[in-house]
């Protein structure tokens, strides 16, 4: 069992630096966060890279689907200038590069697996295989999560020893519970807008942790913690940390 902290940086800390970049991880460490979440998907040549969307337009100066480009093509893109010109020159990170940086910064990773169409199982397996070398035994364990059960099943085929978290899209009566049970997940991650008290109770009764995404409002965080939520993902730790510090574990 791993114990998650009250506050997890979201895509690095996405309010302060371009998401899923080295600058974002440095900013997260600067806030004193112990964990950061980021998103990975496969390049055309099967390398896990840190990109949230399935297309490049929003977070880079590239165009088209991520899956149409090789990792060396993706590495030539700028992943920072769209956020602010002072971040020009940030590159698209590979999973291995991100894990190195996060370890160097003294943090732990929550790797969220995204999938290109039809690649869920394979993406999970590749992420698992990448961790064999990129996150050596002896380091504190990472958390690997996804909205897509097949990603996590593929991951567990490679690395049944590592903890998983299941992301849940919206209100759902039973699918998430079944999925978390099949996976033996340590945590279930709900939208802060849709999570219900019944879901919180059920997850905790099963011995798992409840995490909510994405919380950037102090009153909302206070209310979620009071309802039993264990941790939140945030883009803005300066807003959430003061609230979290007042909560007794
Ligand atoms: O992993 C939690 C959260 O990041 C899920 O949503 O769309 O921000 O990846 P998204
Ligand atoms: Mg994510």
């Amino acid at each position: 069992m791993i114990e998650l902290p009250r506050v997890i940086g979201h895509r690095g800390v996405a309010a302060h630096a371009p998401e899923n970049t080295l600058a974002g991880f440095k900013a997260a460490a600067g806030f004193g966060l112990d964990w950061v979440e980021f998103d990975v998907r496969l390049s055309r040549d099967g390398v896990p890279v840190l990109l949230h969307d399935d297309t490049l337009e929003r977070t880079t100066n590239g165009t088209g689907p991520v899956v149409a480009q090789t990792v060396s093509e993706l590495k030539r893109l700028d992943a920072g200038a769209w956020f602010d010109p002072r971040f020009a020159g940030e590159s698209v990170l590979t999973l291995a590069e991100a894990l190195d940086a996060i370890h160097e910064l003294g943090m732990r990773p929550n790797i969220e697996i995204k999938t290109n169409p039809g690649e869920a199982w394979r993406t999970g397996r590749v992420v698992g295989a990448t961790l064999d070398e990129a996150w050596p035994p002896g380091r504190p364990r990472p958390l690997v999560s996804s909205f897509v059960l097949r990603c996590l099943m593929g991951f567990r085929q490679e690395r049944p020893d590592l903890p998983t978290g299941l992301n849940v899209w919206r209100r759902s009566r039973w699918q998430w519970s079944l999925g978390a049970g099949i996976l033996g997940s340590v945590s279930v991650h709900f939208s802060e807008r849709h999570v219900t008290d019944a879901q919180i109770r059920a997850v905790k009764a099963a011995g798992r942790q409840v995490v909510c995404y994405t919380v950037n409002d102090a009153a909302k965080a206070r209310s979620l913690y009071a309802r039993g939520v264990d941790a939140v993902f945030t883009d803005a730790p300066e807003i959430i940390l003061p609230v979290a510090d007042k909560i007794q574990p």
Side-chain angles (χ1 to χ4, degrees):
M1 189 67 170
I2 54 171
E3 190 167 338
L4 296 168
R6 288 286 186 186
V7 183
I8 300 170
H10 183 238
R11 309 184 194 175
V13 277
H16 295 275
E19 64 186 54
N20 295 327
T21 64
L22 184 57
F25 299 142
K26 287 180 179 167
F31 281 109
L33 296 181
D34 295 323
W35 284 77
V36 274
E37 184 262 7
F38 59 85
D39 310 287
V40 313
R41 60 176 60 251
L42 296 185
S43 65
R44 192 175 94 208
D45 46 349
V47 178
V49 291
L50 272 64
L51 287 160
H52 177 276
D53 298 359
D54 54 11
T55 53
L56 292 162
E57 282 80 354
R58 185 178 63 84
T59 61
T60 75
N61 61 347
T63 55
V66 174
V67 72
Q69 310 239 4
T70 63
V71 67
S72 60
E73 288 165 338
L74 292 168
K75 291 296 291 179
R76 281 185 230 125
L77 300 177
D78 187 302
W82 67 274
F83 184 84
D84 188 294
R86 74 197 154 93
F87 292 106
E90 286 296 319
S91 63
V92 174
L93 296 174
T94 64
L95 174 59
E97 289 170 339
L99 291 173
D100 263 355
I102 288 166
H103 179 65
E104 286 298 313
L105 290 162
M107 297 188 293
R108 289 170 73 171
N110 171 199
I111 303 161
E112 187 197 338
I113 307 176
K114 303 287 191 192
T115 180
N116 302 317
E119 291 199 311
W121 195 285
R122 173 170 169 247
T123 307
R125 291 198 64 173
V126 170
V127 168
T130 303
L131 285 176
D132 288 346
E133 293 205 348
W135 195 262
R139 288 187 186 176
R141 292 188 300 165
L143 177 67
V144 176
S145 59
S146 186
F147 286 103
V148 183
L149 197 59
R150 283 177 65 78
C151 287
L152 294 173
M153 304 279 280
F155 174 76
R156 281 195 67 83
Q157 191 179 344
E158 289 292 319
R159 294 300 303 263
D161 56 314
L162 292 179
T164 60
L166 183 65
N167 287 357
V168 179
W169 281 117
R170 60 180 79 85
R171 280 173 199 255
S172 155
R173 286 180 189 207
W174 56 270
Q175 292 93 330
W176 61 268
S177 173
L178 191 63
I182 291 168
L183 293 162
S185 294
V186 300
S187 54
V188 184
H189 309 170
F190 296 96
S191 157
E192 51 91 6
R193 276 176 288 166
H194 300 302
V195 67
T196 66
D197 290 333
Q199 287 173 326
I200 294 170
R201 275 196 305 275
V203 172
K204 294 176 80 80
R208 311 184 208 286
Q209 293 161 87
V210 181
V211 191
C212 284
Y213 61 89
T214 302
V215 184
N216 296 324
D217 177 83
K220 184 77 196 185
R222 202 177 289 117
S223 154
L224 289 167
Y225 290 135
R227 290 168 61 197
V229 168
D230 296 292
V232 301
F233 296 104
T234 186
D235 302 316
E238 76 283 11
I239 295 172
I240 307 301
L241 282 169
V243 177
D245 286 346
K246 294 197 177 67
I247 306 286
Q248 295 302 312

